[in-house]
Amino acid sequence: MAPSYNKAAERNDDDINNREIRISQVWKRSGMSCPKGTIPVRRGIINSRLTTTAANIIRKTPPHHSHNNNNLSLLQTNHSKAILLTVGYRYLGAKGDIKVCYPQVEKDDDYSTSQVTLSNGDYYDYESVESGWAVNPRLYGDRQTRFFVYWTSDGSKTSGCFDLTCPGFVQTSNEIALGAAIYPTSFPHDLSYEITIYIFKDAETSNWWVEYGNRIKIGYWPGELFKELRSNADSVEWGGEVYSDRVGHTPHSSTAMGNGRFPEGMYGNSGYIKRIRIHDNSLYLKFPEWVETYTDEYNCYDVDYVGDYIADPEFYYGGPGRNPICP
């Protein structure tokens, strides 16, 4: 079922809707397409019910007990984040233009992602939906930058997965393949390429939809998957995440976040997310009332929020991982 209120929200954000989306997925460059009523599915996709190892590949590890006094720390075992965060309202959607990068991933079991995330629930049993791009060798079998969706209903302890590797996400589009490589990608001091990701809740069905590129509704997570998210999200994140068993250890992982460069503000040579929007109880998409930056390891992956003297605030993030100040 198509979402009920989305078009009213879109009409108030013409600066986003009028932008030309210049990127595509590699499989479509050869002229391939899928007939109506079918969906594209990557070959070699992992069946999450086969083994415990497969489940560990497709599901993120759950959070451990560490958190700071401001309750902003989102540190998970073997994970490092650099994000822009907003909390304190009822969020019904979030959007962002994410620079598509090609980060170095050191080990086959590591991954690097950049995404938009909406979540609700307590620290250990949070529910979340997210979408963006990932370099994940163990899941996808290579180090290409690929489009992904992810969900969990219990802090990734027993539920959730990437893409279609477990029951949950319902794909409806025959134009975009989950897990497919994105082309082209951005490199420092060259043209920047972006994907627009919009995740929003359908008020009638409580399903959470993913829209790609301002026009293609990929599919949805049924509201029945969740308890708290069935109503609304209570936080939104934009930014990057690295998974490695060397996060927080010496030597640190050299798996990069973003494009592997530390944020350089409006120079744009690091990873970034622009045209940041949320949907709350108002009728339209808008910039959040309040935002805060957060990073687990600023010497390894840092953040830079540019909000002053600029018409539309921008968020820059990323880093190389292991370096002289992150040994």
Side-chain angles (χ1 to χ4, degrees):
M1 180 180 295
S4 58
Y5 69 82
N6 183 43
K7 292 193 179 298
E10 288 176 346
R11 283 197 293 270
N12 197 48
D13 217 7
D14 291 337
D15 61 323
I16 296 179
N17 290 324
N18 291 336
R19 298 181 62 252
E20 179 182 1
I21 304 303
R22 297 175 295 170
I23 66 172
S24 183
Q25 293 189 314
V26 171
W27 70 279
K28 300 190 73 174
R29 295 172 63 198
S30 62
M32 296 177 62
S33 62
C34 292
K36 290 184 178 180
T38 67
I39 62 171
V41 178
R42 289 189 66 245
R43 293 179 180 176
I45 197 166
I46 295 173
N47 185 330
S48 63
R49 291 167 289 186
L50 292 179
T51 65
T52 301
T53 300
N56 291 336
I57 292 169
I58 66 169
R59 189 181 306 126
K60 296 184 178 182
T61 55
H64 61 56
H65 65 278
S66 298
H67 57 86
N68 63 21
N69 293 332
N70 294 326
N71 215 17
L72 289 179
S73 176
L74 307 174
L75 184 62
Q76 297 175 307
T77 304
N78 299 334
H79 291 251
S80 190
K81 286 188 174 185
I83 60 170
L84 185 71
L85 172 72
T86 185
V87 298
Y89 294 86
R90 297 179 68 253
Y91 303 102
L92 304 176
K95 192 171 189 176
D97 290 359
I98 308 174
K99 182 178 180 178
V100 179
C101 303
Y102 184 60
Q104 169 186 305
V105 171
E106 180 182 7
K107 299 169 59 180
D108 286 347
D109 290 332
D110 296 357
Y111 64 72
S112 181
T113 67
S114 291
Q115 66 269 328
V116 177
T117 303
L118 294 100
S119 61
N120 201 336
D122 64 42
Y123 185 74
Y124 295 100
D125 291 303
Y126 65 89
E127 303 170 354
S128 71
V129 289
E130 61 188 76
S131 182
W133 60 257
V135 178
N136 189 333
R138 185 63 68 187
L139 178 61
Y140 297 122
D142 58 29
R143 282 169 164 75
Q144 294 191 76
T145 302
R146 297 178 177 274
F147 171 67
F148 81 93
V149 299
Y150 183 85
W151 71 278
T152 181
S153 61
D154 64 354
S156 295
K157 290 194 290 293
T158 63
S159 71
C161 62
F162 288 93
D163 303 337
L164 301 175
T165 52
C166 70
F169 189 80
V170 179
Q171 185 169 350
T172 60
S173 172
N174 66 345
E175 297 184 62
I176 298 294
L178 297 176
I182 300 171
Y183 177 87
T185 56
S186 309
F187 292 90
H189 307 294
D190 202 347
L191 290 176
S192 294
Y193 298 93
E194 306 165 358
I195 56 172
T196 300
I197 299 296
Y198 181 25
I199 304 175
F200 58 93
K201 179 174 174 285
D202 178 10
E204 293 185 359
T205 64
S206 296
N207 297 335
W208 285 92
W209 283 79
V210 178
E211 185 179 270
Y212 178 101
N214 289 316
R215 67 181 184 88
I216 303 175
K217 292 176 177 64
I218 305 299
Y220 62 90
W221 294 278
E224 291 77 13
L225 292 173
F226 309 106
K227 295 180 180 178
E228 304 297 334
L229 271 181
R230 187 172 173 81
S231 173
N232 61 270
D234 63 7
S235 67
V236 182
E237 302 172 18
W238 298 263
E241 179 179 356
V242 163
Y243 171 84
S244 173
D245 60 9
R246 294 185 181 179
V247 164
H249 300 282
T250 302
H252 194 279
S253 171
S254 64
T255 292
M257 180 189 295
N259 66 358
R261 288 175 171 250
F262 284 115
E264 299 174 313
M266 295 177 65
Y267 292 105
N269 286 325
S270 66
Y272 65 66
I273 300 181
K274 299 181 179 180
R275 286 160 287 277
I276 294 160
R277 300 288 187 271
I278 56 95
H279 189 103
D280 55 17
N281 289 328
S282 66
L283 292 177
Y284 307 113
L285 288 162
K286 63 181 183 180
F287 191 82
E289 299 288 339
W290 173 92
V291 293
E292 181 66 71
T293 59
Y294 172 81
T295 178
D296 289 312
E297 303 173 295
Y298 64 88
N299 286 332
C300 309
Y301 313 105
D302 207 357
V303 295
D304 185 11
Y305 171 67
V306 180
D308 296 330
Y309 311 109
I310 184 173
D312 201 343
E314 300 173 351
F315 176 62
Y316 297 83
Y317 63 95
R322 185 167 65 245
N323 69 88
I325 61 174
C326 175

